[in-house]
Amino acid sequence: MARTVLHGLGASPGVAVGRAIVVREVEASGAPPDQAVALAALEQAAAELGRAAAGLRNAGLADEAEILEANRLMAEDPSLAASVRELAARLAPAEALREAAEGFAGVLAALPDPVLAGRASDVRELGRRAARIADGSAAQPLAEADSILLARDLGPAEIAELELGEGRIVAVALIEGSATAHAAIVARSLGLPMAVAFGTDLAAIAEGTVLVLDGEQGVVSVDPGHVELEEAQETLRQGSRRRRALAGLRGLPTETLDGRRIVLLCNAASLPEIDAGLAAGAAGVGLLRTELAFLEAPAWPTEQQHRAVLEPLLAALRGRVATVRTLDFGGDKTPPFLDRTPERGLALTLAEPDALAAQLRAISQAGADARLRILLPLVESGQQVRAVRSLLQDSLGEEQPFELGAMIETPEGVRRATEIALEAQFLSIGTNDLVSSTLGLHRDLPLASAETAADPAVLAHVVSVVAAAHESGITVEVCGEAAGVPELVVLFVGLGVDELSVAPARVDLVRGVVRALSAERSGALARDALAAPSAAAALELVRSGEAGDELREALEGLGGVRARG
Ligand code: PEP
Ligand code: MG
């Protein structure tokens, strides 16, 4: 294909330069029908998904591992197996598998709920995977130099299994796909630039063609000229200089130019995440999600089971802040034994006081050497915090060597923030849930949802919670995804938030942003943002104002990010 630029949609930011490497679509094999081969391939596909999930979990990507776990369960769905069995009576195994998956995908794609509809791509991945196993073909083409992988569509596990990095896969471009698919979420978490929805023009690119991909703009430049190639390579060099410059600030205080200290913590659910956060200089963990280890549990976890999970995690946090959240089951984090429960978070565990007491005892014992804080999810009244306090007194006595905090994640929690702040020793704002419950959005919508936290209605909630906490003389943390988004960091600092708890991969960035800001100017900007007509307008205010210049300088990683003692 001659020099040209193809336009798709950005799905995971970043620029990459590499040679095209093409995932070939498996052709009809003409093999005879064989139900046993088809069903065995489906089983093996489930096992592969389980392994890919474990890989992500070990890499510290617990949420992404959950996506693959859910897909593994889908592979084990008896109705899918029944459909495969029926089709495999008359079709070649690979075709039966693809067709069964396509049937399920079609049903999902037609659903009005965008999140369920987005699962269609995951079912198709399962069909492709099982068909490939039945056919005995290779999983992915092997990259021997920096390569940009071109495919019709890829699922989240296929992204997770790619060999990434220099000399391997450096970006992905898809004929189909969507920026909101699970594959895009996994690509973003892995820092893999990806662009999607190019249509069939992408299929015309020959193997080995030099490409420049911009995953933010959703553009692929085919066979770029010398100048464009040099520009892309300079962008890459700048990116790695920026990361090095931000990492060079580790060990320096997370403090604004006018001297306001922010406590910088990380979110975690596993040991690799804790290790990564501490290595980046987080002061400890601001949110340890405990429910993720028990999403497959057949019953409420026992005290021993909690201790087995918590002890290695909290041992790594000896002497540091360890904010352990009690089980936040419900919603999209519902284990089979709680199927169809309408409750979530603290309301759900308060209805099972023995189970809650068992976890509280386990946390307090496993965290004895850490600066322990216990955090309650989705708190909506002071009475709920009092109920936990009395459980604690019953099971641990008067001596409770930890602080008890409350997460504010709903408009009702915000409305009652003052009475909650009177009972709690710190507050934490969960913007993932607060954004969705305030604006009526599904919380699984793409990362852009972190930016929707700039909606003035959400910012007004943050103002109320900060005021309630500070009037009671306690601190307030933000621990949703928005805490790791530079523009939101400006607003949260401006609104008086004391602590930010972010994904381990964002710790360096957030420190760099805070150190480039003036708390006073951020305050003025946040007040303007509160009066903006929309999240987009509030973000634009941040980007175009003085803080925008400070941010740009900080993010460029040169000049603006100065080492200070
Ligand atoms: C939140 O809602 O912002 C939060 C941090 O909790 P989770 O994402 O685990 O619900
Ligand atoms: Mg939440």
Side-chain angles (χ1 to χ4, degrees), residues 107-169:
V107 172
L108 286 172
L111 293 174
D113 181 330
V115 174
L116 287 178
R119 298 290 301 273
S121 159
D122 295 14
V123 188
R124 291 196 179 101
E125 170 187 336
L126 175 60
R128 271 197 306 279
R129 179 180 295 276
R132 170 191 41 82
I133 294 168
D135 264 358
S137 31
Q140 302 278 0
L142 202 62
E144 282 163 0
D146 286 8
S147 301
I148 297 187
L149 190 75
L150 311 184
R152 175 162 296 282
D153 194 11
L154 291 178
E158 285 165 322
I159 298 282
E161 287 164 343
L162 294 175
E163 290 206 30
L164 303 181
E166 238 171 85
R168 297 274 182 255
I169 308 286

Side-chain angles (χ1 to χ4, degrees), residues 412-428:
E412 182 62 5
V414 175
R415 202 174 67 78
R416 298 206 184 204
T418 300
E419 67 175 63
I420 295 169
L422 289 172
E423 303 295 337
Q425 288 158 297
F426 67 100
L427 297 185
S428 181

Side-chain angles (χ1 to χ4, degrees), residues 295-463:
L295 290 183
E296 303 294 322
W300 286 99
T302 62
E303 185 174 336
Q304 277 69 23
Q305 287 167 332
H306 280 298
R307 282 183 62 167
V309 171
L310 289 172
E311 275 165 7
L313 304 183
L314 295 181
L317 289 167
R318 168 186 286 263
R320 296 177 189 266
V321 177
T323 313
V324 185
R325 184 172 71 183
T326 58
L327 294 168
D328 183 18
F329 282 148
D332 58 350
K333 294 183 285 191
T334 304
F337 79 96
L338 289 173
D339 221 9
R340 280 190 265 280
T341 174
E343 302 285 11
R344 252 200 77 182
L346 182 60
L348 179 57
T349 47
L350 275 176
E352 292 289 332
D354 291 346
L356 179 55
Q359 185 180 25
L360 293 170
R361 282 193 302 273
I363 296 172
S364 103
Q365 281 159 20
D369 293 333
R371 286 170 49 203
L372 188 60
R373 309 196 296 183
I374 295 185
L375 183 58
L376 307 171
L378 282 154
V379 177
E380 294 199 311
S381 71
Q383 159 55 28
Q384 287 181 315
V385 183
R386 274 199 303 281
V388 175
R389 223 358 119 225
S390 94
L391 258 185
L392 281 165
Q393 260 151 14
D394 291 348
S395 51
L396 297 171
E398 289 300 321
E399 241 342 72
Q400 292 163 23
F402 48 77
E403 291 187 353
L404 185 61
M407 282 189 79
I408 306 293
E409 311 186 68
T410 61
E412 182 62 5
V414 175
R415 202 174 67 78
R416 298 206 184 204
T418 300
E419 67 175 63
I420 295 169
L422 289 172
E423 303 295 337
Q425 288 158 297
F426 67 100
L427 297 185
S428 181
I429 303 176
T431 50
N432 304 340
D433 278 303
L434 187 58
V435 166
S436 61
S437 57
T438 302
L439 305 177
L441 302 172
H442 199 295
R443 55 172 268 143
D444 274 2
L445 283 173
L447 269 201
S449 64
E451 292 199 353
T452 50
D455 189 286
V458 178
L459 296 180
H461 283 337
V462 174
V463 172

Side-chain angles (χ1 to χ4, degrees), residues 273-296:
E273 284 172 298
I274 294 175
D275 289 344
L278 295 184
V285 168
L287 169 64
L288 186 73
R289 292 182 166 103
T290 58
E291 62 283 349
L292 300 184
F294 295 109
L295 290 183
E296 303 294 322

Side-chain angles (χ1 to χ4, degrees), residues 67-311:
I67 295 174
L68 300 203
E69 273 300 335
N71 291 354
R72 181 182 65 76
L73 290 178
M74 190 164 71
E76 290 171 355
D77 185 330
S79 52
L80 181 61
S83 167
V84 169
R85 189 177 296 110
E86 191 193 317
L87 289 162
R90 55 187 169 80
L91 297 174
E95 276 159 68
L97 287 157
R98 265 196 300 267
E99 206 161 296
E102 192 49 48
F104 272 61
V107 172
L108 286 172
L111 293 174
D113 181 330
V115 174
L116 287 178
R119 298 290 301 273
S121 159
D122 295 14
V123 188
R124 291 196 179 101
E125 170 187 336
L126 175 60
R128 271 197 306 279
R129 179 180 295 276
R132 170 191 41 82
I133 294 168
D135 264 358
S137 31
Q140 302 278 0
L142 202 62
E144 282 163 0
D146 286 8
S147 301
I148 297 187
L149 190 75
L150 311 184
R152 175 162 296 282
D153 194 11
L154 291 178
E158 285 165 322
I159 298 282
E161 287 164 343
L162 294 175
E163 290 206 30
L164 303 181
E166 238 171 85
R168 297 274 182 255
I169 308 286
V170 293
V172 167
L174 301 179
I175 293 174
E176 297 172 356
S178 109
T180 61
H182 283 146
I185 295 176
V186 173
R188 287 192 288 264
S189 301
L190 294 172
L192 173 71
M194 178 159 111
V196 299
F198 282 96
T200 45
D201 286 352
L202 198 76
I205 296 175
E207 187 98 19
T209 309
V210 174
L211 305 174
V212 173
L213 178 143
D214 183 332
E216 178 100 52
Q217 303 299 327
V219 169
V220 164
S221 198
V222 182
D223 221 351
H226 176 72
V227 174
E228 193 183 342
L229 203 55
E230 183 44 44
E231 268 173 18
Q233 273 155 348
E234 179 52 25
T235 305
L236 289 175
R237 285 192 289 271
Q238 268 177 17
S240 74
R241 273 202 296 272
R242 182 188 110 184
R243 280 190 296 280
R244 275 202 305 277
L246 289 171
L249 302 178
R250 292 175 184 174
L252 298 178
T254 305
E255 184 179 279
T256 61
L257 295 167
D258 46 354
R260 216 174 107 220
R261 279 281 175 119
I262 300 292
V263 178
L264 179 57
L265 301 161
C266 70
N267 296 343
S270 66
L271 199 50
E273 284 172 298
I274 294 175
D275 289 344
L278 295 184
V285 168
L287 169 64
L288 186 73
R289 292 182 166 103
T290 58
E291 62 283 349
L292 300 184
F294 295 109
L295 290 183
E296 303 294 322
W300 286 99
T302 62
E303 185 174 336
Q304 277 69 23
Q305 287 167 332
H306 280 298
R307 282 183 62 167
V309 171
L310 289 172
E311 275 165 7

